[in-house]
Amino acid sequence: MSFYLRQRWYDPRLRFNASLGVDALELDPKLMDRIWVPDIYIINEKTAKFHTVTVPNKMMYIYPDGLVLYSVR
């Protein structure tokens, strides 16, 4: 089974000036490793592995108020 895990949270350290005309920042997967992400685990998991592909299956958007949207397969 595979699925997408989508998370959202507010990080006030990532706020930026919305008057610059930017609605949201879409981060490159290389930059995502520098952003704090909540540590999620599944209690009853028997085995787990990340889907290995040539391009990471991750997406992250940061909004002016510090809202972070993160999705990973």
Side-chain angles (χ1 to χ4, degrees):
M1 174 188 341
S2 65
F3 62 92
Y4 283 93
L5 175 63
R6 293 188 172 103
Q7 301 174 73
R8 68 180 179 181
W9 65 92
Y10 284 94
D11 190 336
R13 299 170 295 177
L14 299 175
R15 290 182 186 155
F16 63 92
N17 190 344
S19 67
L20 300 174
V22 177
D23 294 331
L25 301 174
E26 181 178 359
L27 294 186
D28 183 87
K30 295 175 187 175
L31 291 174
M32 289 181 204
D33 294 335
R34 298 175 150 212
I35 304 294
W36 176 84
V37 175
D39 187 21
I40 301 294
Y41 67 95
I42 299 172
I43 296 172
N44 295 327
E45 99 180 53
K46 298 199 186 277
T47 61
K49 63 180 179 176
F50 278 98
H51 183 70
T52 306
V53 292
T54 56
V55 178
N57 284 328
K58 295 194 259 183
M59 177 186 73
M60 184 178 283
Y61 290 98
I62 301 174
Y63 290 87
D65 61 353
L67 175 66
V68 180
L69 297 179
Y70 177 68
S71 177
V72 63
R73 182 174 180 195

